[in-house]
Amino acid sequence: MPYLIAAVVLVGLLGLLNLLLIIGVIRRLRRQAAHPSVPPAMLDGPAVGERLPEFVATTIDGEPISAELLGGPALIGVFSPTCEPCRDLLPKFAERASRLSDPVLAVVVSDSAEEAAMDVARLAKVARVVREEPLGPIQTALNVNGYPTVITTDAAGMVISSDVDLPDTVHA
């Protein structure tokens, strides 16, 4: 009889442990559901509270652009034409950028100019646009490994948000 009691208690404890593990997995899945197509390792970018890293590039209009020339506050978006979440976010980004008086920089990442042409044309109406190949100078400087990435800075050039979505408010 004592063996039977011990076995029942052991099975009950294992069932309770299994239930706790399942609850943990469900919580993690719910957190990841906010960014379903972006693996957690890809949520990089400059850290909030640090100064926007220096970069130098040339816009599609042939103008030089850098963190210093961009100034602040600013809105920066990094998109790829082959990225499904980018297609969803790009119209919202363009609409938000059209309402801002602050500088807006859009980086379109693509191996070919033809592939990026539609996104570049859409963003050129509301932002300074740079088209660069994967791991280009802006992406490298900003530590952007996944798309989309939206970065906002304050007047001092400090990063106030870096995420895969537009922040609720752009500037404080």
Side-chain angles (χ1 to χ4, degrees):
M1 189 70 165
Y3 294 113
L4 183 60
I5 292 171
V8 169
V9 169
L10 181 64
V11 168
L13 289 174
L14 287 174
L16 185 60
L17 177 65
N18 187 36
L19 180 63
L20 291 174
L21 290 173
I22 288 174
I23 290 171
V25 168
I26 290 171
R27 281 185 176 171
R28 177 169 273 187
L29 288 173
R30 284 184 180 164
R31 272 190 300 236
Q32 289 180 348
H35 308 292
S37 62
V38 181
M42 293 297 183
L43 296 176
D44 292 355
V48 172
E50 76 177 25
R51 181 169 281 301
L52 189 66
E54 282 300 320
F55 60 85
V56 176
T58 304
T59 67
I60 59 167
D61 298 327
E63 298 175 19
I65 187 76
S66 67
E68 183 180 337
L69 290 173
L70 189 61
L75 175 65
I76 303 167
V78 183
F79 303 95
S80 172
T82 60
C83 155
E84 188 64 37
C86 293
R87 288 184 211 160
D88 297 337
L89 183 62
L90 197 126
K92 296 175 196 171
F93 180 89
E95 193 273 327
R96 174 81 58 92
S98 70
R99 292 183 288 148
L100 293 176
S101 61
D102 300 325
V104 178
L105 173 63
V107 181
V108 179
V109 180
S110 176
D111 288 322
S112 80
E114 295 81 31
E115 184 178 57
M118 194 164 68
D119 290 347
V120 167
R122 185 175 206 173
L123 290 166
K125 297 173 186 172
V126 295
R128 296 177 188 160
V129 179
V130 174
R131 190 198 69 80
E132 63 181 29
E133 300 206 2
L135 301 175
I138 296 177
Q139 296 165 79
T140 303
L142 299 179
N143 194 32
V144 171
N145 297 312
Y147 314 108
T149 298
V150 178
I151 301 162
T152 56
T153 63
D154 64 12
M158 303 298 277
V159 176
I160 55 176
S161 74
S162 177
D163 200 357
V164 296
D165 204 358
L166 284 170
D168 292 334
T169 58
V170 176
H171 306 296

